[in-house]
Amino acid sequence: ERMITAGEIGPGDKLNEAALAEHLGVSRGPVREAFRVLEEAGLLTLKKNRGVYVRQIPLQEALEIYELRAIMEAQVGAVLAETASEEQLASLQTMIDSMEQAVQAQDAALYYRLNVEFHETLVSFAGNRKMYLLYRRLTRELALFRRRNLEAQDLLTGSIQEHREVLSAIRSRDAQGAADTLRRHVLQSRERTARSQDAADAPGNVMKKI
């Protein structure tokens, strides 16, 4: 899962059970079981008589995932505005500080990982385990679409500002304001994804995939 979500194994890549077992230093049994679990999680797909492949998420499906995230995170924002402890707020601030350091270092890969961690932490703090498990599955599926919308430095800078606004809204203890801020943040990410895909598909662009 880590290799897939980190982009070491890309969408559409075929997975070789024996090669992965050797690379990971395990027998083929655990790799086979991992394939089964990750297929159920939506990260892999089994093609009959052809093998196991990393799923390729089409743009429309990625945009639908963002819409679901917007609904879920709006609810999370409303809950946390009323229930977040000072310790939780401090933890979120520390995560944003780390994200700011990643922006300053122009480390898009690290920023992406911290971004995912920040949002999953928000959802976990809401205390709804079912929501958290569903949300985590959605973020893992979305990782298959990759992170082109956060690779440019100006977009990283804009994204970190949105995260500061999210935390500020939660700290304000205004449930509706926090819900609106989180919904807007996720939908802005959705729009960045749509625009980046349009740019990648434009005539003359040789970098169709990353």
Side-chain angles (χ1 to χ4, degrees):
E1 179 181 350
R2 183 197 62 76
M3 293 170 72
I4 293 171
T5 56
E8 296 173 24
I9 305 174
D13 285 354
K14 183 176 182 180
L15 302 185
N16 182 288
E17 184 181 294
L20 274 173
E22 181 178 357
H23 175 73
L24 297 171
V26 298
S27 66
R28 294 175 64 166
V31 175
R32 192 177 305 117
E33 176 64 13
F35 284 175
R36 184 190 66 78
V37 172
L38 293 178
E39 182 184 13
E40 291 180 354
L43 297 183
L44 301 180
T45 183
L46 175 61
K47 298 183 180 180
K48 190 174 182 180
N49 299 323
R50 294 180 57 190
V52 178
Y53 294 79
V54 179
R55 278 190 66 207
Q56 292 180 291
I57 302 294
L59 174 62
Q60 186 56 42
E61 185 172 343
L63 298 181
E64 289 172 356
I65 291 174
Y66 274 114
E67 290 170 5
L68 285 173
R69 280 189 53 199
I71 294 170
M72 296 171 72
E73 293 200 44
Q75 173 63 18
V76 166
V79 170
L80 292 185
E82 296 179 346
T83 66
S85 66
E86 291 303 317
E87 290 77 12
Q88 289 174 330
L89 294 173
S91 176
L92 294 170
Q93 182 62 62
T94 298
M95 297 176 75
I96 289 179
D97 292 343
S98 296
M99 293 166 72
E100 290 178 334
Q101 292 173 10
V103 172
Q104 293 169 4
Q106 299 185 30
D107 191 336
L110 175 59
Y111 184 87
Y112 176 82
R113 181 177 63 78
L114 293 172
N115 177 46
V116 172
E117 183 180 349
F118 176 84
H119 284 273
E120 290 187 354
T121 300
L122 280 177
V123 178
S124 71
F125 283 169
N128 186 321
R129 178 170 170 75
K130 287 291 186 181
M131 179 188 290
Y132 175 75
L133 292 175
L134 175 58
Y135 182 86
R136 192 171 185 275
R137 170 166 180 153
L138 292 174
T139 57
R140 293 304 182 268
E141 289 186 5
L142 198 56
L144 296 174
F145 198 76
R146 302 305 301 274
R147 45 187 176 271
R148 181 165 40 235
N149 58 319
L150 283 178
E151 291 192 339
Q153 183 66 16
D154 59 334
L155 295 181
L156 288 177
T157 303
S159 177
I160 191 63
Q161 177 58 34
E162 291 172 21
H163 286 80
R164 295 191 198 100
E165 292 170 359
V166 164
L167 183 55
S168 177
I170 293 172
R171 278 180 167 148
S172 73
R173 301 301 181 181
D174 175 4
Q176 187 60 55
D180 292 342
T181 300
L182 263 164
R183 182 186 299 107
R184 182 169 58 251
H185 169 59
V186 176
L187 292 179
Q188 286 172 332
S189 295
R190 180 186 186 278
E191 291 309 307
R192 282 193 290 266
T193 296
R195 288 197 302 269
S196 65
Q197 185 64 25
D198 288 343
D201 291 340
N205 191 329
V206 296
M207 293 189 67
K208 296 291 186 180
K209 291 179 62 179
I210 49 176

